[in-house]
Amino acid sequence: MTRLGPEMGRGSRSVVYHGSDAQVVKVAIADTPDRWLRDEHRFLTAARLGGAPGPADPALVDLENGRLGLALQRVNGTPMEQTLCADPGEGTLLGKLLAQLQLDVWSCRASFALPSQHDRVTAKLRIVASRHDLDVRVLLPWLAHDRPLGLCHGDLHPRNVLLVGSGPVLVDWFDASIGTFAAETARTLLHIGPRSWMADDAALDGRRALYRSYLDAITDAADFEGDELDRWCTVQLVARVAEGVGLDDLPELRERLARW
């Protein structure tokens, strides 16, 4: 039986607590089923076996309250987001580092224990179509576009990157999948792009620099076809609406879909 220590951090679907001296324990929030932790354990294990830089020694543990926890090796690093806010002048360097990390993950071996990005995104599009009367049919053929598949983290952005001396470590692998690189890039662009900026943010200049350097580095290294990246940004905008984020984007989405 694992006993939880003080809370370390909180996300939209889980809370991270101190565990033992060498561990942290991730616990799903009350309305999130424990099976999500089982899935993340499976996805992280598969990603690490393929060489991805995720936390070591993932293990499912029983908690005193009868719930399930995901124990992970404690990573003594600083979140990239925190580094950017502390020194916005590092934005350009951090953007290049983020791009290289994404390319490194893509080069890892992708296990078929991971879900299909295509299936996950298609399900989200259909959810939005039914809930918000959004015609997403024009996007469905694009999802089946014949492109190489590889390991995708699914939520790669500065808050999920820990900077340590031996190199960056990626956390939060619940959205990992086998998918296309353009879809993975588009998801990151939405996280770090102008939609995520606040005018009064002290690190605004750093965020702009990170975004520009990430985009330059990733487009120089990847072979995107025509408007492939723009189309995938639209797909990922719709997917975010299915997750309960970005409802304000619905008018723009309708315009984009009408153009296509």
Side-chain angles (χ1 to χ4, degrees):
M1 198 73 66
T2 298
R3 182 171 299 174
L4 299 177
E7 181 179 321
M8 295 180 64
R10 182 176 292 264
S12 60
R13 296 179 298 212
S14 61
V15 183
V16 177
Y17 296 90
H18 286 276
S20 67
D21 290 340
Q23 283 186 325
V24 298
V25 181
K26 189 173 186 177
V27 181
I29 61 175
D31 60 349
T32 301
D34 284 346
R35 65 173 177 79
W36 285 36
L37 292 179
R38 297 186 189 278
D39 287 343
E40 183 172 355
H41 174 255
R42 179 160 53 92
F43 302 160
L44 173 55
T45 300
R48 280 190 52 80
L49 287 173
D57 306 322
L60 294 170
V61 295
D62 293 321
L63 305 177
E64 291 180 307
N65 60 3
R67 295 206 66 186
L68 191 71
L70 176 59
L72 305 163
Q73 180 189 51
R74 188 191 304 273
V75 179
N76 294 316
T78 305
M80 181 181 285
E81 170 86 359
Q82 183 177 326
T83 300
L84 178 68
C85 291
D87 187 358
E90 292 290 301
T92 298
L93 179 63
L94 293 175
K96 292 177 180 177
L97 179 62
L98 190 67
Q100 187 58 56
L101 175 60
Q102 197 160 53
L103 289 163
D104 290 344
V105 170
W106 177 259
S107 69
C108 295
R109 179 171 55 84
S111 167
F112 284 98
L114 295 169
S116 160
Q117 179 193 73
H118 174 277
D119 292 348
R120 278 189 157 187
V121 173
T122 300
K124 290 178 181 180
L125 295 191
R126 296 193 186 282
I127 288 171
V128 173
S130 64
R131 288 181 182 171
H132 303 285
D133 191 28
L134 196 68
D135 188 355
V136 300
R137 288 173 296 178
V138 69
L139 297 176
L140 297 179
W142 187 254
L143 299 187
H145 196 48
D146 185 20
R147 296 289 272 160
L149 301 179
L151 176 61
C152 297
H153 176 269
D155 206 23
L156 198 156
H157 56 76
R159 288 184 296 281
N160 281 338
V161 180
L162 300 180
L163 303 177
V164 298
S166 57
V169 176
L170 260 174
V171 299
D172 197 2
W173 283 85
F174 175 77
D175 294 299
S177 66
I178 299 178
T180 66
F181 192 69
E184 176 80 338
T185 300
R187 180 80 178 191
T188 298
L189 285 172
L190 294 182
H191 275 298
I192 68 173
R195 295 172 188 278
S196 68
W197 301 344
M198 295 178 290
D200 59 349
D201 189 343
L204 184 57
D205 288 343
R207 295 187 190 283
R208 288 173 173 153
L210 181 145
Y211 176 77
R212 287 194 300 267
S213 64
Y214 167 83
L215 184 58
D216 288 345
I218 213 75
T219 52
D220 284 347
D223 181 25
F224 298 124
E225 295 179 353
D227 62 355
E228 180 180 17
L229 203 51
D230 185 48
R231 284 181 180 264
W232 269 109
C233 281
T234 300
V235 171
Q236 296 289 21
L237 273 174
V238 178
R240 281 167 58 83
V241 172
E243 298 162 13
V245 181
L247 292 176
D248 292 341
D249 295 323
L250 281 171
E252 178 189 341
L253 285 173
R254 295 186 196 281
E255 291 180 9
R256 286 190 179 215
L257 295 175
R259 284 203 310 270
W260 285 330

